[in-house]
Amino acid sequence: MALVLGFTLASLGWVPVQWNIAALTKKLLSYSIIGLGFGINLNAAIEASTHNFGLIVGSIFFTLSLGFVLTRALKFDHVTGHLIASGTAICGGSAIAAVAPAINARNDQTATALACVFVLNSVALFLFPALGHLLNMSQYDFGVWSAIAIHDTSSVVGAASAYGDEALKTATTIKLARALWIIPIALVSAVLFGGDKRKLNLPYFIGFYCLAIAVAHWLPQFHAVYDTLFMVSKRALVLCLFLIGAGITVQKMRASGPKPLLLGVMLWAAIGITSLVYILYFQ
């Protein structure tokens, strides 16, 4: 509801143009993710990350490789294609924001990739919980699947939160373990595209998220405070989804043309279906 409301207001032109929606969303999302860390069990986080390490690494390199092949097959701009593949492979907007300056991407190329990823994120919020219930997935399995197959961290925690608290904790942990791959992927991208490795834009909130988990583990006497922070962070994420919706308009979607969205959908379908099959039948 928050996402649709934001999108509706933006499409009607009721969002003040002087508001920097993207910057506000990024900052609020960072604080919300850190707050969620206080509700994550350290041992469970380590177990979930290590148990799914192969799936995390395999899905990243599978998506990036497929993105390279599809970009060439579609005869599409290779920079924008790599940004979309990076966003699909790792963590949506955060990955795009980190890789874009490293490969000297133009503003229009970055904006196109972000618009594509945000549209698919919006669809995932509604689609994934419905599919999870249809397939009768466990909280844990759904948390793993959403962390692998949904682009942006905000939409991962939004979809997982709608499914249940256990799904939310599993999804957040695995998603941020996956997001750590931003650093090596951005560095490799800078080398491949002849960019500047000094221009990396890294998401430092991941470190603070890990610190929050450690604090909650080593200082358990403040459990009531941690529960409150976790609850407030979940509410703040709803506001994040409203702001994301407020940054998407029909005009922006039309301006990017069909190829970016086609590439994004193909990559998303590939990683979503293959990871689902693996989780349900081989894990």
Side-chain angles (χ1 to χ4, degrees):
M1 290 173 63
L3 186 85
V4 172
L5 179 59
F7 173 74
T8 302
L9 294 180
S11 297
L12 292 173
W14 291 357
V15 177
V17 293
Q18 65 269 27
W19 288 9
N20 190 342
I21 298 293
L24 184 60
T25 305
K26 184 178 180 180
K27 189 169 293 187
L28 183 60
L29 176 61
S30 298
Y31 295 148
S32 301
I33 295 297
I34 294 169
L36 288 179
F38 289 103
I40 306 296
N41 179 274
L42 177 61
N43 294 326
I46 293 173
E47 181 180 352
S49 299
T50 54
H51 182 67
N52 293 283
F53 181 77
L55 180 59
I56 293 170
V57 177
S59 65
I60 289 173
F61 285 96
F62 167 73
T63 306
L64 289 172
S65 301
L66 182 61
F68 174 78
V69 173
L70 291 177
T71 298
R72 290 177 66 89
L74 292 170
K75 297 180 180 178
F76 182 49
D77 168 35
H78 66 286
V79 172
T80 307
H82 183 68
L83 289 176
I84 294 173
S86 298
T88 307
I90 309 174
C91 60
S94 298
I96 292 170
V99 172
I103 63 174
N104 296 323
R106 300 191 309 270
N107 287 340
D108 62 302
Q109 293 171 323
T110 305
T112 297
L114 287 171
C116 175
V117 165
F118 285 154
V119 168
L120 296 179
N121 275 329
S122 306
V123 175
L125 274 170
F126 301 98
L127 181 63
F128 271 64
L131 287 175
H133 288 299
L134 181 66
L135 297 170
N136 198 27
M137 296 181 73
S138 68
Q139 292 270 321
Y140 178 81
D141 283 349
F142 182 82
V144 175
W145 185 44
S146 59
I148 296 296
I150 300 179
H151 310 73
D152 228 42
T153 306
S154 57
S155 292
V156 169
V157 296
S161 180
Y163 207 77
D165 276 353
E166 184 185 342
L168 172 63
K169 293 175 181 180
T170 301
T172 305
T173 300
I174 295 175
K175 188 63 178 178
L176 293 180
R178 201 173 172 208
L180 292 173
W181 284 84
I182 286 178
I183 301 170
I185 295 301
L187 287 170
V188 171
S189 299
V191 173
L192 293 176
F193 284 79
D196 190 346
K197 295 186 287 294
R198 294 171 296 179
K199 291 184 179 179
L200 300 186
N201 183 12
L202 303 178
Y204 295 104
F205 71 87
I206 298 175
F208 288 107
Y209 167 82
C210 296
L211 180 62
I213 296 176
V215 168
H217 178 77
W218 295 111
L219 298 173
Q221 61 268 36
F222 302 109
H223 181 72
V225 177
Y226 304 146
D227 285 346
T228 301
L229 288 171
F230 183 77
M231 182 189 68
V232 170
S233 297
K234 285 178 64 179
R235 297 292 175 264
L237 284 166
V238 177
L239 180 55
C240 284
L241 295 175
F242 168 77
L243 293 173
I244 288 172
I248 303 172
T249 63
V250 174
Q251 291 80 3
K252 287 182 180 179
M253 293 165 61
R254 285 176 178 169
S256 61
K259 280 191 177 181
L261 194 58
L262 177 60
L263 174 62
V265 169
M266 291 170 72
L267 287 174
W268 189 37
I271 188 61
I273 294 171
T274 54
S275 60
L276 178 62
V277 170
Y278 178 83
I279 291 166
L280 292 180
Y281 299 106
F282 299 102
Q283 184 166 267

